[in-house]
Amino acid sequence: EVKPVVASAPAATPAPKTAPPPPPQKVAEKPKEYTPTKTSGQYSEIKQMIIAYEGWENKPYPDSEGLWTIGVGHLIGNGKKLPFTDKDGTTYTEKTYLTNPQVRALFEKDFEAHLKHAEKAPGWNLANESGKTALIDLTFNMGPGWINKFKKTASLLEEGKFKEAAEELKRGSKGGYSPWYKQVGERAKFIVTLISAGAANDKSGSDALASVMGSKKVASGGKFMSDESIQLAESQRKQL
């Protein structure tokens, strides 16, 4: 008797090995909330001016030079690539979203750092409030290295010659206006106005400061300066 041959079941094909999923990125968890700094209750006018011209952005964006930026003019690393992990362990990606309190906290931290540099700038101890406001904004706008770009301006400030320094700041090396003055526009004109009236003994300083701070553009930055406005904006975002 011939027994039927029973075909054996084919061996099971092993499942392909898959790589384990990458660990989740830590996306902008710090700072978790608005934490006051030593300068939080001070310099409200210059902070308002900086916000008005730097803007208030909750997501990363390329600035005018194509560098990745977030918040109030905060450069992410060297600005050249994302993702980027900051010193505090926060990883920024193109999808990062900072809450308004986080933007505020980051700005306060940046402001305090730039203020320390501005206090060491030429002419600081010879300046009135108008002049100091201009030096803070210059430092925030261009970084402490502005002194090396405008050496003659820095030298004149150190000598207390604020009006001459203001003219030198807007003057180009080959005549006309400097590239900075042309690029920054209205903000540059305001800074020059403040420096021109910025000597400690210049009584027109308060009028210059009032004029600049009273402009429509600068006033627009005021809505971000109160804790109440931040809390309101945050509650509205959560309702979307």
Side-chain angles (χ1 to χ4, degrees):
E1 180 181 353
V2 179
K3 294 183 179 180
V5 177
V6 179
S8 58
T13 303
K17 294 183 179 180
T18 57
Q25 285 186 323
K26 183 180 181 182
V27 179
E29 292 181 0
K30 297 179 181 181
K32 292 187 176 179
E33 59 183 18
Y34 166 55
T35 305
T37 66
K38 292 180 181 179
T39 61
S40 292
Q42 303 174 3
Y43 302 99
S44 59
E45 288 186 328
I46 178 56
K47 286 178 181 178
Q48 180 175 316
M49 180 176 175
I50 290 171
I51 290 171
Y53 285 105
E54 294 287 344
W56 182 288
E57 298 292 339
N58 300 84
K59 297 179 180 180
Y61 66 96
D63 67 5
S64 59
E65 297 181 2
L67 300 177
W68 286 106
T69 309
I70 197 169
V72 184
H74 178 82
L75 188 66
I76 302 174
N78 62 9
K80 294 182 179 179
K81 66 176 182 177
L82 291 178
F84 175 81
T85 301
D86 217 337
K87 291 180 180 179
D88 65 0
T90 300
T91 297
Y92 292 94
T93 73
E94 292 186 45
K95 295 183 178 180
T96 293
Y97 183 94
L98 292 184
T99 64
N100 282 332
Q102 286 176 320
V103 172
R104 177 71 180 274
L106 192 59
F107 171 57
E108 293 287 355
K109 183 179 178 181
D110 286 348
F111 180 86
E112 195 167 46
H114 284 89
L115 174 63
K116 290 178 180 178
H117 287 294
E119 289 174 337
K120 298 176 183 178
W124 177 268
N125 293 326
L126 302 174
N128 57 23
E129 189 176 356
S130 173
K132 289 179 179 179
T133 296
L135 290 174
I136 294 170
D137 191 75
L138 264 178
T139 304
F140 200 101
N141 181 219
M142 292 194 284
W146 72 264
I147 297 171
N148 298 322
K149 295 179 181 178
F150 294 92
K151 292 182 178 180
K152 195 167 183 180
T153 298
S155 178
L156 289 166
L157 286 171
E158 197 155 25
E159 295 174 21
K161 298 178 180 179
F162 282 75
K163 292 188 185 300
E164 294 89 337
E167 288 300 313
E168 188 61 34
L169 189 61
K170 68 179 183 179
R171 184 181 297 121
S173 59
K174 298 180 180 179
Y177 295 119
S178 67
W180 167 81
Y181 189 81
K182 289 187 288 187
Q183 179 184 355
V184 179
E186 183 185 58
R187 184 181 189 179
K189 293 178 182 178
F190 283 158
I191 291 175
V192 167
T193 297
L194 294 173
I195 289 181
S196 184
N201 61 355
D202 193 328
K203 295 181 180 180
S204 67
S206 57
D207 291 336
L209 189 59
S211 174
V212 169
M213 294 303 164
S215 71
K216 186 177 181 180
K217 176 67 175 180
V218 173
S220 69
K223 63 183 178 181
F224 296 105
M225 287 309 301
S226 69
D227 295 340
E228 291 79 11
S229 68
I230 288 179
Q231 292 166 3
L232 175 62
E234 183 59 16
S235 65
Q236 291 173 340
R237 185 189 72 83
K238 289 180 178 178
Q239 293 172 9
L240 295 177

